[in-house]
Amino acid sequence: MDLASLVKMANQIGGYFEIYPDKEYATQEVSSHIKRSWDPRMRDTIQQRLAEAEALGLTPLAAAAIRRLGERATA
């Protein structure tokens, strides 16, 4: 799957949780959703190309959730 499509999907997920007033909770929920629902190859692609994804318009909430995925993998 191409990076632009992954960015769009991550932003859509983030958009659902954007209304939550607790941004930490929203980040956790977006990260959990991506971990549960996305194929590992999709997660790896967006994590490895995060700077490019941000340049393509990845929202701050979605970017924070992607970073959180990376933190879990190394913890």
Side-chain angles (χ1 to χ4, degrees), residues 4-74:
S5 295
L6 295 174
V7 167
K8 181 179 178 182
M9 290 172 26
N11 285 343
Q12 288 173 333
I13 296 164
Y16 177 82
F17 292 101
E18 189 68 42
I19 62 167
Y20 284 55
D22 184 343
K23 295 307 174 191
E24 179 62 29
Y25 178 75
T27 300
Q28 177 62 40
E29 289 301 305
V30 173
S31 182
S32 293
H33 180 86
I34 290 171
K35 181 162 178 50
R36 282 190 318 270
S37 303
W38 285 23
D39 181 276
R41 293 170 294 182
M42 294 164 64
R43 293 191 309 259
D44 290 345
T45 297
I46 201 163
Q47 284 178 280
Q48 293 169 1
R49 298 175 64 191
L50 185 57
E52 289 175 71
E54 289 175 313
L56 287 172
L58 190 66
T59 65
L61 176 58
I66 299 302
R67 283 189 197 88
R68 167 105 12 120
L69 285 172
E71 292 168 4
R72 284 189 199 163
T74 60

